[in-house]
Amino acid sequence: MPELPEVEVTRRSFADAIQGARVTGLRLGKPLRWPIGVDPETLLGSRVGSTQRRGKYLWLPLENRGGLLMHLGMSGSLAFLEATPAPGAHDHFDLHTDRGLLRLTDPRRFGAVVWAAALDAEPVATLLGGLGLEPFDERFDGLHLHAALSGRRVSIKQALLAGDIVVGAGNIYACEALFMAGIDPRLPAGKLSRPRADKLAAAVRTVLGQALEAGGTTLRDFRDAHGVAGSFQMQAQVYGREGLPCLRCATPIRRIVQGQRSTFFCPSCQKR
DNA sequence: AGGTGCACCTGATGGC
DNA sequence: TGCCATCAGGTGCACC
């Protein structure tokens, strides 16, 4: 489910409400991607700080007690609830506080909740260490993108998705950004010209920004922490539109597979 | 070092 | 209705 816009929309939907809350209990459901790595008892009584986002990860600082790194995987979502309903089959992590319950629902369990003493302490430091620039970081521009892509033989689509150059664009937004920039997703990354790198960097920011404004993309189950769905799927130009006419030129949108993931593009508007 | 494929897990959907 | 194959918003890791 969640790419950067969905994670950021989720963060904004509960960060203020949970900040300053006192942890009163933790409940672990079925195993997630990694063990939490801490005795839940040791976190009781700590205060929640200001929730941060890095890439598609969220960092929940716990005053004097390190913090929790959360990832939503493919199917995860967070809810911040006033009441404390009994956990359902896919509710695998509950953080009870005196201001409400932060609950992770994740059917596929590719998500994670991992404790660390600090953001720069293991295992979090390693998980975040390989991440590229934030798309809205002023250092992320065509110059940076072009330099980072030089010599790389993978397709530009896969290079975007890898997250080691710029974070945040997953399968939907990588496709959409490449469409916006008019770039064929199969183009070898190292062959992208400098002017087109400028265009692509701008497109990544624009697409992610538009998705953020739309409250994210809800294909089936994405909700923010108050249950509000996103609407960016209404504006998607190529993602999920195989065989339908390109909204710009009416050529049928194509679907191909790159790195075992679907890529959608317009064979006429997007050039090598 | 960069590229490739696999692994993790559950549910929805479509064809026969 | 049942069964099987395919697909899905992510990413760390082993291996070449």
Side-chain angles (χ1 to χ4, degrees):
Chain A
M1 154 187 82
E3 304 182 32
L4 182 148
E6 291 73 34
V7 175
E8 179 61 15
V9 164
T10 298
R11 187 192 70 80
R12 292 178 186 178
S13 68
F14 77 89
D16 287 351
I18 205 172
Q19 182 164 8
R22 186 82 71 177
V23 174
T24 57
L26 278 84
R27 183 193 63 86
L28 304 177
K30 285 192 188 179
L32 294 165
R33 184 160 189 183
W34 301 292
I36 190 168
V38 70
D39 177 358
E41 292 279 311
T42 65
L43 303 181
L44 300 184
S46 60
R47 262 187 207 285
V48 177
S50 172
T51 302
Q52 312 293 311
R53 181 192 54 75
R54 175 71 175 103
K56 298 169 191 167
Y57 289 93
L58 290 176
W59 172 249
L60 210 69
L62 299 173
E63 206 172 67
N64 300 322
R65 239 75 65 90
L68 294 171
L69 189 76
M70 315 185 81
H71 197 285
L72 302 180
M74 285 279 264
S75 59
S77 59
L78 286 169
F80 192 59
L81 307 162
E82 303 274 327
T84 59
H90 302 305
D91 299 333
H92 300 304
F93 175 81
D94 283 348
L95 184 75
H96 293 273
T97 77
D98 56 6
R99 294 199 196 157
L101 165 62
L102 186 67
R103 167 169 285 174
L104 173 66
T105 303
D106 186 2
R108 293 178 75 179
R109 293 190 279 126
F110 292 169
V113 181
V114 175
W115 180 86
L119 262 178
D120 57 3
E122 296 306 336
V124 167
T126 296
L127 290 173
L128 302 184
L131 297 185
L133 289 177
E134 286 290 323
F136 298 110
D137 186 321
E138 58 183 19
R139 290 170 296 172
F140 174 63
D141 57 13
L143 179 66
H144 173 88
L145 180 59
H146 187 251
L149 292 173
S150 88
R152 290 184 61 165
R153 308 173 81 89
V154 277
S155 70
I156 185 63
K157 159 78 175 336
Q158 285 169 284
L160 270 188
L161 223 44
D164 55 347
I165 297 174
V166 59
V167 295
N171 210 30
I172 297 175
Y173 303 120
C175 291
E176 295 297 320
L178 286 165
F179 174 81
M180 182 175 287
I183 296 164
D184 187 314
R186 298 165 295 187
L187 180 76
K191 293 197 169 169
L192 189 72
S193 70
R194 177 57 211 285
R196 301 181 90 197
D198 288 345
K199 222 175 171 187
L200 182 55
V204 166
R205 271 194 304 267
T206 300
V207 163
L208 294 177
Q210 287 176 350
L212 214 42
E213 277 183 52
T217 296
T218 298
L219 291 183
R220 61 167 50 86
D221 52 12
F222 169 69
R223 297 285 138 109
D224 74 9
H226 296 297
V228 179
S231 67
F232 185 82
Q233 65 279 6
M234 310 297 297
Q235 316 174 37
Q237 305 290 298
V238 288
Y239 187 84
R241 300 194 65 247
E242 182 183 16
L244 297 174
C246 171
L247 297 170
R248 190 185 285 166
C249 78
T251 301
I253 298 300
R254 279 192 63 195
R255 184 181 84 96
I256 59 175
V257 174
Q258 296 180 288
Q260 298 139 215
R261 320 267 332 252
S262 288
T263 298
F264 299 88
F265 70 106
C266 171
S268 172
C269 293
Q270 297 176 250
K271 315 232 184 273
R272 291 230 188 206

